[in-house]
Amino acid sequence: MDEIIIHNLNFNPMLLWHEKLINAVTIVNGIISEIKKPQKARLPWYRFWIYDQETLIHSANVSLLTILIAREMGYQGKNLEEVALGALLHDLGKLEVPKSILNKPGKLTEDEYEVIKKHPQYGMELIKPFCLSKMIQQPIIQHHERWNGKGYPHGLKKEEIHPNAQIVAVADVLAALIEDRSYRQGMGVMGAMEIIAAGKAKEFSPIIVDQLLKVFTPVTH
Ligand SMILES: [Fe+2]
């Protein structure tokens, strides 16, 4: 799993050696090995192992980027682990979306898109039996909400969106841009960052975008 996470992200090799990134990989891997333990196997995230590799890898990448941003914002200890776990579980509801829609190579029909858009609520249903904290739940239900109110499922805007979900929203889009997919190659981090920066105070929280820019400030030492 460690190798999948690292190799799938199209990071500049200079940044790969960045201490922050290495530490974040350690935390994500710690959480992954924790929820892979047999007694936790009922956690539905585990089903990603057999259902959809692409979503599983994406989830690990989003968790990793989430940790980088959250740490820049001062998260630590339990808060950091909770936002990382929320990020890891953010797309859990995709387990309820038929594979024919989830992995469709062409353009989705309007009806198919409506099914995809239900995955935040599906995710909440799946985690119900596990009594997870609000800090973990918010990224699952709110990661497609947008700062300008044009997201889904509830069209929340600005501070109505939980800070953990604001972080995961940015990490989710950044990961999607830089990951390789079966039908296209991922972008370089800096190109993807420009797209995120252009969405500052539009799709994304200006505070989170600024923190992200700090994370990827080139290392000078
Ligand atoms: Fe999603």
Side-chain angles (χ1 to χ4, degrees), residues 11-29:
F11 274 113
N12 177 320
M14 279 298 288
L15 288 169
L16 189 60
W17 299 112
H18 199 308
E19 203 185 326
K20 294 183 210 172
L21 183 58
I22 300 299
N23 291 346
V25 168
T26 308
I27 295 177
V28 174
N29 288 337

Side-chain angles (χ1 to χ4, degrees), residues 7-211:
H7 290 158
N8 192 58
L9 272 180
N10 198 7
F11 274 113
N12 177 320
M14 279 298 288
L15 288 169
L16 189 60
W17 299 112
H18 199 308
E19 203 185 326
K20 294 183 210 172
L21 183 58
I22 300 299
N23 291 346
V25 168
T26 308
I27 295 177
V28 174
N29 288 337
I31 292 172
I32 288 171
S33 53
E34 195 50 39
I35 59 179
K36 273 170 66 187
K37 285 181 183 164
Q39 66 270 31
K40 303 267 176 70
R42 281 180 59 247
L43 196 68
W45 183 86
Y46 196 76
R47 284 165 49 199
F48 272 141
W49 289 106
I50 45 174
Y51 188 75
D52 184 63
Q53 276 288 315
E54 208 165 78
T55 306
L56 170 70
I57 292 166
H58 170 70
S59 301
N61 287 335
V62 172
S63 188
L64 191 143
L65 291 168
T66 291
I67 291 169
L68 292 176
I69 300 167
R71 257 213 308 232
E72 203 67 50
M73 298 176 71
Y75 281 58
Q76 48 183 312
K78 189 165 179 259
N79 285 347
L80 187 63
E81 287 191 7
E82 286 189 323
V83 72
L85 184 54
L88 205 53
L89 298 172
H90 79 285
D91 265 348
L92 190 70
K94 286 191 174 169
L95 284 170
E96 302 294 316
V97 176
K99 271 194 165 181
S100 55
I101 298 178
L102 200 57
N103 299 330
K104 187 178 172 180
K107 203 168 178 269
L108 294 172
T109 66
E110 225 166 89
D111 287 349
E112 288 167 339
Y113 188 51
E114 287 306 312
V115 175
I116 291 256
K117 278 168 70 178
K118 293 208 175 86
H119 75 272
Q121 284 106 322
Y122 291 154
M124 293 300 281
E125 286 298 315
L126 285 169
I127 59 157
K128 240 185 205 164
F130 300 96
C131 301
L132 300 175
S133 75
K134 280 265 175 266
M135 299 283 279
I136 301 171
Q137 289 182 26
Q138 298 298 2
I140 298 172
I141 188 66
Q142 295 184 354
H143 69 278
H144 285 288
E145 301 290 356
R146 292 293 176 258
W147 190 252
N148 56 14
K150 292 187 178 171
Y152 66 85
H154 300 303
L156 303 177
K157 58 176 187 292
K158 298 188 177 174
E159 284 84 8
E160 290 170 357
I161 307 165
H162 191 277
N164 284 10
Q166 293 177 26
I167 298 172
V168 173
V170 170
D172 184 23
V173 175
L174 181 61
L177 289 169
I178 61 186
E179 285 163 2
D180 290 333
R181 294 284 153 85
S182 48
Y183 51 91
R184 61 146 172 86
Q185 254 207 311
M187 301 177 72
V189 176
M190 293 310 162
M193 290 288 299
E194 278 175 29
I195 293 176
I196 300 284
K200 178 177 167 177
K202 294 173 191 151
E203 288 90 354
F204 310 118
S205 152
I207 296 165
I208 308 294
V209 172
D210 284 344
Q211 298 300 324

